[in-house]
Amino acid sequence: PPGRKVLIVYAHQEPKSLNGSLKSVAVEELSKQGCDVTVSDLYAMQFEPRATRNDIVGCLHNSEEFNYGVEAWEAYKRGGLSNDLIEEQKKVQEADLLIFQFPLYWFSMPAIMKGWMDRVLVQGFAHEFPNCYDSGLLKNKLALFSFTTGGSKEMYAKGGISGDIRYLLWPMQHGIMHFCGVKVLAPHICFAPEYASEEERKEMLIAWAQRLKTLWNEEPINCSPEWYFK
């Protein structure tokens, strides 16, 4: 719907890849609906994935012993985080929907995207115990993980060699997004595009565009272990 803001956090090195095309389809389709779409192209930005002392501008809260979590939290409260983090947090703050677009690496997201999670979702900004899970600080937002896999759909079935794909979503969807209060829409998974024909890859893009047309009517998944492990 017009006026909705979407942030696409995108991690792929090649614009011509299927991930690049999926990202472009989302930008096009959501913009057509009148949404305001922002893309964080992590590789193009040369986004720093490492959580270091450089994330804190100025003096440390405790210069005797460096504790990243504490320092980032204190820095957030006084507006002392590095500019790249302030930028990303502003994008997250404004977004109604976060789309994460990436190829699955080793049952997880690529390091550059994990680094985005590690550095951007600071305590005080995204969560602050006991304000986590349903009372996380980013409630009223939606997230969607859209990714490609190397293995086939059969490999990621419950009885398959890789186990149910939902097992892999537990740390990403539940441990990160739901922890911060974000509601999660069903993931969008393109299985084994490398082994697909040109025709099948086109169909993957069409299916994504179709889904995006009615995305705002979707109900979030049931945020409980049952969804993942039943």
Side-chain angles (χ1 to χ4, degrees):
R4 297 269 177 107
K5 286 188 152 63
V6 181
L7 171 62
I8 301 176
V9 182
Y10 160 68
H12 199 286
Q13 309 86 338
E14 174 52 64
K16 296 202 275 284
S17 64
L18 185 69
N19 273 277
S21 301
L22 289 159
K23 180 261 299 168
S24 300
V25 163
V27 171
E28 195 181 327
E29 188 52 52
L30 292 164
S31 301
K32 230 190 280 178
Q33 296 174 16
C35 297
D36 183 347
V37 186
T38 304
V39 178
S40 285
D41 182 341
L42 301 181
Y43 286 102
M45 291 155 71
Q46 302 202 337
F47 187 81
E48 166 62 83
R50 295 168 301 182
T52 69
R53 162 73 178 91
N54 298 337
D55 293 352
I56 289 91
V57 176
C59 297
L60 290 175
H61 179 68
N62 174 3
S63 52
E64 296 301 299
E65 195 178 321
F66 185 71
N67 177 321
Y68 183 83
V70 169
E71 293 298 343
W73 183 22
E74 292 295 335
Y76 173 74
K77 288 189 284 195
R78 63 176 166 80
L81 287 171
S82 60
N83 280 336
D84 59 341
L85 293 191
I86 291 171
E87 272 300 283
E88 294 306 299
Q89 288 177 345
K90 206 185 300 166
K91 295 176 195 174
V92 171
Q93 198 60 67
E94 290 178 352
D96 299 300
L97 167 66
L98 307 167
I99 295 177
F100 297 96
Q101 181 64 59
F102 59 97
L104 195 69
Y105 281 5
W106 296 118
F107 278 26
S108 187
M109 59 188 88
I112 199 166
M113 184 176 279
K114 178 56 163 55
W116 185 95
M117 305 281 181
D118 292 351
R119 294 178 64 228
V120 175
L121 302 175
V122 170
Q123 184 169 356
F125 169 67
H127 58 90
E128 192 152 14
F129 195 81
N131 294 321
C132 50
Y133 290 117
D134 291 341
S135 57
L137 303 180
L138 301 181
K139 51 183 180 295
N140 306 328
K141 296 186 188 301
L142 291 169
L144 193 164
F145 286 83
S146 171
F147 60 96
T148 58
T149 67
S152 66
K153 195 168 182 173
E154 293 68 46
M155 289 168 79
Y156 284 109
K158 209 175 205 109
I161 185 80
S162 300
D164 193 331
I165 193 81
R166 292 186 178 197
Y167 302 157
L168 318 190
L169 290 162
W170 172 254
M172 300 191 255
Q173 293 186 164
H174 186 77
I176 304 176
M177 284 296 119
H178 184 204
F179 186 83
C180 297
V182 180
K183 292 187 173 63
V184 181
L185 295 174
H188 198 83
I189 309 166
C190 292
F191 288 99
E194 280 176 83
Y195 305 103
S197 66
E198 202 48 49
E199 198 43 51
E200 288 168 325
R201 288 164 70 102
K202 275 205 192 83
E203 275 163 21
M204 289 176 182
L205 295 175
I206 292 166
W208 179 222
Q210 276 305 112
R211 180 174 173 194
L212 288 162
K213 286 190 200 314
T214 55
L215 194 70
W216 301 102
N217 307 332
E218 291 186 16
E219 283 300 310
I221 66 163
N222 154 27
C223 280
S224 70
E226 286 79 59
W227 189 88
Y228 299 90
F229 303 109
K230 63 170 184 279

